[in-house]
Amino acid sequence: MMETLNLLLFVIEAVGYFTLMVTLLHFRYRLGLGMFLTALGVMHFMETYLAAVFYVSVPFGIVSPGSSIFFAGKLMMILMLYLQEDAAVVRQPIYGLFLGNLLTVGVAWLLQWHSPVALSPGRAPNFDFLREMGWLMVWGTALLYLDSIGIILLYERLGRYFKHKVILRFMICGFALLTFDQIGFFGALYYFAGVPADAFWGGWKAKMLAVCIYTALFAIYEIGIRRGAVAASARPISDIFSDLTFRERYHDLLSRTGRDVLTGLYDRARMEFEAPTMIRESLRQGQPVTVVILDADHFKDVNDHFGHLQGDEVLKAIAARLGTILRASDRMFRFGGEEFVAICPATDHAEGLRLAERLRWTIASSVSTPDGKPVTVSVGVATADEDGIGFTTVLSAADERLYQAKKIGRNCVVGRPEVAVVG
């Protein structure tokens, strides 16, 4: 009966902690972020103290609310803070806690050299306890530093596989990092406070339960409160963007930077920044990478006969068709004028020739001038590392083959002579 009651209190404490902290976080624009950060910091001493001396029995073992509820909640709150602010804000409470705990240890060391006067019987200061707690807090904050970095990096890495599943990423991160934390912090509790080893599994199970509770509450907040508030608010757009994470804001900005205004493809400056890295990375992994350069045939005639506005429409149509053929791993850039460059990782020369032929055929069969004549392209193909290991070298080889395609009659693909287009 007592174990069941303790478990019920465990859940109530977790819900209460989350509700209070997320309320401070949610109203940070009105109340100030300092209230949230201060509440997060003030809880740290009690978390460490409870983790060292206060344990209760629940159906699945012996647990400490300080470690299982409050420390676990703090880590999940730091992830939520990252989701709604950025890395620069997240590091403030972590650094503040670490420096404050070092100061606690230093002050405790200095105070022990005093000769205190006992004003009340049985109330003598316990410097051993203070030093012990100080070092536990320093170790806990060091782990918190690693936990916070780890949970943010893992959250971002999981975005590659579950990009739009924020709640699932939140839960997986909690499971992984609190398991790591339980191993690290319990070792200190065992050494400093003499906590028995059999309390490890009960504490771990309690942290996993806390993650489930916090994830459920996070889902309610994310879906039912925050998104609804954002959708219904009339805040300026700059304020709405502040709800995104630092990395998401960065990648969103990056995806819209370096775009060609007309076609929506990446521009030449972006190509010169990204293409060398793509080639180096493919070669480092032992994979070929193919560069394809296309040029619209007789495009000057389109501009001369129909005007530049119609010429722009033709270029946009070409860009749209290119996007339907290229794979997700490929990158297409507008090189300049009517020229386009594709970087195709993990693609050997024969595969690159087949891809180039599909691009050529698709444009010839689906893009036309205003008077109905098909628009064709000439294509040059080169592959690293056979044609070079640097982007400039490979692009020059592809450009030379483009010139050959123009020379032999246009509307064709030219690669290395010994490799034929098959299929």
Side-chain angles (χ1 to χ4, degrees), residues 123 283 359:
R123 301 288 292 178
L283 294 180
L359 294 172

Side-chain angles (χ1 to χ4, degrees), residues 9-332:
L9 291 172
F10 181 98
V11 175
I12 292 173
E13 289 162 357
V15 173
Y17 175 86
F18 183 92
T19 302
L20 173 61
M21 298 303 294
V22 83
T23 299
L24 294 176
L25 183 61
H26 184 71
F27 291 104
R28 64 194 181 280
Y29 294 114
R30 296 181 184 177
L31 303 175
L33 190 59
M35 291 186 66
F36 172 81
L37 298 180
T38 301
L40 206 64
V42 166
M43 291 289 293
H44 192 68
F45 180 85
M46 189 180 74
E47 294 163 12
T48 309
Y49 173 75
L50 292 177
V53 302
F54 186 82
Y55 285 79
V56 297
S57 178
V58 296
F60 49 79
I62 304 297
V63 304
S64 170
S67 177
S68 303
I69 297 175
F70 302 119
F71 185 86
K74 174 184 288 181
L75 186 60
M76 305 312 289
M77 282 295 125
I78 286 174
L79 180 56
M80 283 192 66
L81 179 62
Y82 173 75
L83 293 178
Q84 299 190 47
E85 290 290 337
D86 56 35
V89 173
V90 169
R91 70 185 180 187
Q92 295 177 30
I94 300 171
Y95 290 164
L97 286 169
F98 190 71
L99 292 175
N101 292 332
L102 284 177
L103 182 62
T104 299
V105 173
V107 170
W109 182 81
L110 287 174
L111 289 176
Q112 69 180 330
W113 297 100
H114 286 281
S115 298
V117 176
L119 297 180
S120 302
R123 301 288 292 178
N126 188 338
F127 289 110
D128 290 335
F129 173 77
L130 191 59
R131 285 195 301 271
E132 176 186 288
M133 287 299 300
W135 283 116
L136 271 177
M137 289 193 296
V138 169
W139 176 243
T141 312
L143 279 176
L144 177 64
Y145 178 79
L146 297 176
D147 292 340
S148 301
I149 293 175
I151 203 168
I152 290 170
L153 292 178
L154 180 59
Y155 179 85
E156 294 296 341
R157 179 59 63 90
L158 289 174
R160 299 181 181 181
Y161 311 101
F162 311 109
K163 183 174 183 180
H164 300 294
K165 297 181 179 179
V166 174
I167 296 169
L168 177 62
R169 290 157 67 185
F170 184 88
M171 181 175 66
I172 293 174
C173 290
F175 285 151
L177 269 298
L178 283 167
T179 297
F180 166 79
D181 180 82
Q182 177 68 2
I183 296 171
F185 192 67
F186 188 85
L189 289 177
Y190 181 80
Y191 179 79
F192 285 110
V195 176
D198 56 2
F200 172 84
W201 289 110
W204 178 77
K205 292 175 184 177
K207 285 184 177 179
M208 299 304 101
L209 174 60
V211 171
C212 293
I213 295 172
Y214 290 137
T215 300
L217 295 171
F218 172 70
I220 294 171
Y221 171 73
E222 184 74 9
I223 297 172
I225 299 176
R226 190 172 76 88
R227 292 182 185 177
V230 170
S233 71
R235 293 182 297 168
I237 191 69
S238 59
D239 197 20
I240 293 175
F241 276 121
S242 69
D243 287 339
L244 303 174
T245 70
F246 173 78
R247 291 291 181 92
E248 287 169 340
R249 283 193 307 229
Y250 169 75
H251 287 298
D252 177 68
L253 177 62
L254 188 61
S255 68
R256 292 181 287 109
T257 302
R259 292 279 187 180
D260 175 59
V261 176
L262 177 65
T263 63
L265 300 176
Y266 294 117
D267 61 18
R268 182 169 180 169
R270 184 73 175 267
M271 180 188 74
E272 292 174 350
F273 174 74
E274 288 194 356
T277 302
M278 295 177 69
I279 290 181
R280 283 196 303 270
E281 184 63 20
S282 289
L283 294 180
R284 186 186 67 80
Q285 296 175 4
Q287 296 178 334
V289 54
T290 293
V291 175
V292 178
I293 182 168
L294 307 89
D295 184 85
D297 297 326
H298 303 294
F299 188 74
K300 183 176 182 300
D301 293 343
V302 177
N303 284 332
D304 290 343
H305 285 89
F306 304 105
H308 288 279
L309 291 179
Q310 289 297 330
D312 288 347
E313 293 301 317
V314 170
L315 290 176
K316 287 193 286 186
I318 292 174
R321 300 304 184 276
L322 295 176
T324 63
I325 301 299
L326 293 175
R327 302 159 300 184
S329 59
D330 301 331
R331 279 295 180 93
M332 176 62 71

Side-chain angles (χ1 to χ4, degrees), residues 364-397:
S365 61
S366 62
V367 180
S368 60
T369 61
D371 61 353
K373 293 181 180 179
V375 173
T376 63
V377 294
S378 300
V379 188
V381 180
T383 303
D385 59 354
E386 295 94 335
D387 293 304
I389 60 173
F391 171 62
T392 302
T393 304
V394 180
L395 181 64
S396 296

